[in-house]
Amino acid sequence: SQLGGPQFKAHYCQRQSKVIQDRITEIENHLSQLCDTSSSYTRKTARLRDKGDLLAKQLMEYAEYEKWNPSLSAGMLKFAENVSAVQDYREAQVKRLEGKIISPLMHYGLLCKQTKNDLKSSFAAIERELVQKKKLETTKAKNPADRSKIAQLENDLQKASIESSRSSKSLEQQVDKFEEKKLKDLKKMMRDFVMIEMHFHAKALELYTQCCQTLESVDSDSDLEEFRHQLRPNGSIRSDIARSASQASLESRQNSTGSSTPRNKPLPQKQATPTPTNSRKRIVPPAPSELEDDSDEEDDDEDESEEDSDEDYTETEKTEPPPKKR
């Protein structure tokens, strides 16, 4: 019965240590995966922050370029400022994730390794106890009369048993603290994760709401009118030149039409001194030319008509005999 007690105790401690070791190993694996995933999540968030900053920068550059649409330019500038502010909150989100999630999980990796090293010390103490027990049993079986050696082995076994018990109890307390700390820390980490995400999304929702209000203030019709106004000066000069040319042409035609009317009237004949019918040549005035719609043809016909009339009139004056003196 004296040997059965330590044997049972050693077997129980060994089994208990094995269960604890397996559990800590599994916890370490799961927390390591959780740490890797959280780190990846944080890195993705940091990349998204960088892309958001780039988007805000490009929006600001375009807002500074877009001078022909002042309403859109002002709206895009305010929109870019809100997007940039969202990235500031995202930066705070990244830092909080790193400080409150990733760092504790990385610390648990070291804590698990330390606990497993303590388990090895506990296993070593249990092994020493089992070795001393076997030596005592062997000595009692071979040399039952050697009381001094048996007493020495029993004393060594007792010390090994005490050391194993102390190590097992210390390990049990340490594992208990590890489990308690793990529960509190995981609960805190999950709560911190949720609070970090809620805080970011609340601020982001507020800023994105301002973005929507800013977009509502953009007056597309006013910007379109401004764009047309910016394009109008060049087109206006050309249209004014064309309008002036057309007006000048119209006035020229009207003046031509008004000045050609008297030309179509027959020229007045000079009153000559009466002469005998036989010796006087009759002067026949040229027939008035008809007015036509085309002003250019009108001018040519009138000029020809005037020249003919002048020639006839001059010829008549030359052939007419001088009047007789009374």
Side-chain angles (χ1 to χ4, degrees):
S1 61
Q2 187 177 0
L3 295 175
Q7 186 177 4
F8 175 77
K9 181 181 178 182
H11 178 71
Y12 174 77
C13 291
Q14 187 177 7
R15 175 179 168 276
Q16 185 183 30
S17 299
K18 184 66 168 63
V19 171
I20 293 173
Q21 185 181 19
D22 293 341
R23 177 169 176 78
I24 291 177
T25 302
E26 290 297 327
I27 290 174
E28 182 183 16
N29 292 334
H30 286 289
L31 293 183
S32 177
Q33 293 177 0
L34 185 60
C35 182
D36 292 340
T37 304
S38 299
S39 299
S40 178
Y41 180 88
T42 305
R43 288 193 300 270
K44 294 288 186 181
T45 305
R47 291 197 198 99
L48 185 60
R49 171 206 60 199
D50 296 338
K51 294 299 182 181
D53 288 335
L54 181 60
L55 175 63
K57 180 182 177 181
Q58 292 177 350
L59 286 172
M60 287 183 179
E61 290 177 353
Y62 183 73
E64 292 176 357
Y65 162 77
E66 190 58 83
K67 300 300 184 183
W68 288 10
N69 302 136
S71 175
L72 179 63
S73 177
M76 290 185 67
L77 185 62
K78 186 65 177 176
F79 187 91
E81 291 175 355
N82 289 329
V83 172
S84 179
V86 171
Q87 309 318 311
D88 293 338
Y89 284 108
R90 205 183 297 276
E91 169 67 14
Q93 178 191 14
V94 170
K95 292 182 177 179
R96 289 170 182 167
L97 288 172
E98 290 176 348
K100 295 186 176 183
I101 307 298
I102 298 176
S103 294
L105 289 173
M106 293 176 65
H107 176 70
Y108 262 92
L110 299 175
L111 187 60
C112 290
K113 290 180 180 179
Q114 183 179 357
T115 305
K116 288 194 293 184
N117 291 331
D118 294 337
L119 281 173
K120 291 179 180 179
S121 300
S122 177
F123 287 151
I126 294 172
E127 288 293 331
R128 285 195 299 270
E129 183 183 7
L130 292 176
V131 168
Q132 292 297 328
K133 182 174 72 65
K134 289 180 180 179
K135 286 182 179 180
L136 178 60
E137 290 177 352
T138 302
T139 302
K140 284 183 177 181
K142 292 182 178 181
N143 299 315
D146 193 356
R147 302 299 302 174
S148 61
K149 189 175 183 179
I150 292 174
Q152 183 64 33
L153 290 174
E154 286 179 353
N155 189 22
D156 293 341
L157 178 60
Q158 186 177 3
K159 289 180 181 180
S161 178
I162 292 172
E163 180 67 21
S164 177
S165 299
R166 187 183 64 80
S167 179
S168 297
K169 186 176 181 180
S170 176
L171 179 62
E172 185 177 352
Q173 291 176 355
Q174 185 177 358
V175 170
D176 186 75
K177 290 180 180 179
F178 174 83
E179 192 71 19
E180 182 181 3
K181 179 177 174 58
K182 182 205 68 176
L183 290 171
K184 291 181 179 179
D185 288 347
L186 285 177
K187 182 178 179 180
K188 183 178 183 300
M189 282 188 287
M190 289 186 289
R191 183 187 291 114
D192 289 340
F193 177 80
V194 172
M195 294 302 296
I196 290 170
E197 292 294 319
M198 288 178 64
H199 181 74
F200 165 73
H201 286 293
K203 292 296 183 178
L205 180 62
E206 180 181 351
L207 291 171
Y208 284 138
T209 302
Q210 294 180 11
C211 287
C212 292
Q213 294 174 354
T214 301
L215 294 176
E216 290 297 328
S217 65
V218 175
D219 190 353
S220 302
D221 296 335
S222 175
D223 287 346
L224 183 59
E225 289 297 327
E226 180 65 21
F227 173 75
R228 291 171 178 171
H229 177 71
Q230 293 293 337
L231 289 181
R232 187 172 299 171
N234 294 334
S236 178
I237 292 174
R238 287 194 291 268
S239 63
D240 290 342
I241 293 174
R243 189 181 299 107
S244 299
S246 176
Q247 185 70 22
S249 176
L250 180 61
E251 290 177 358
S252 176
R253 289 183 180 183
Q254 290 178 353
N255 292 334
S256 298
T257 305
S259 61
S260 63
T261 303
R263 294 180 183 179
N264 295 329
K265 294 180 180 181
L267 293 175
Q269 298 179 2
K270 291 184 179 181
Q271 297 293 331
T273 304
T275 55
T277 304
N278 296 332
S279 62
R280 184 171 184 140
K281 186 178 180 179
R282 184 182 176 183
I283 300 173
V284 181
S289 59
E290 296 181 356
L291 295 178
E292 295 178 0
D293 292 336
D294 193 347
S295 60
D296 295 334
E297 293 179 0
E298 228 176 31
D299 293 341
D300 295 338
D301 294 341
E302 288 169 359
D303 292 339
E304 293 176 359
S305 176
E306 285 182 359
E307 293 176 358
D308 295 341
S309 299
D310 292 340
E311 292 176 356
D312 295 341
Y313 186 77
T314 304
E315 183 180 358
T316 305
E317 287 182 345
K318 289 181 178 181
T319 56
E320 183 179 1
K324 293 180 180 182
K325 294 182 179 182
R326 292 182 182 183

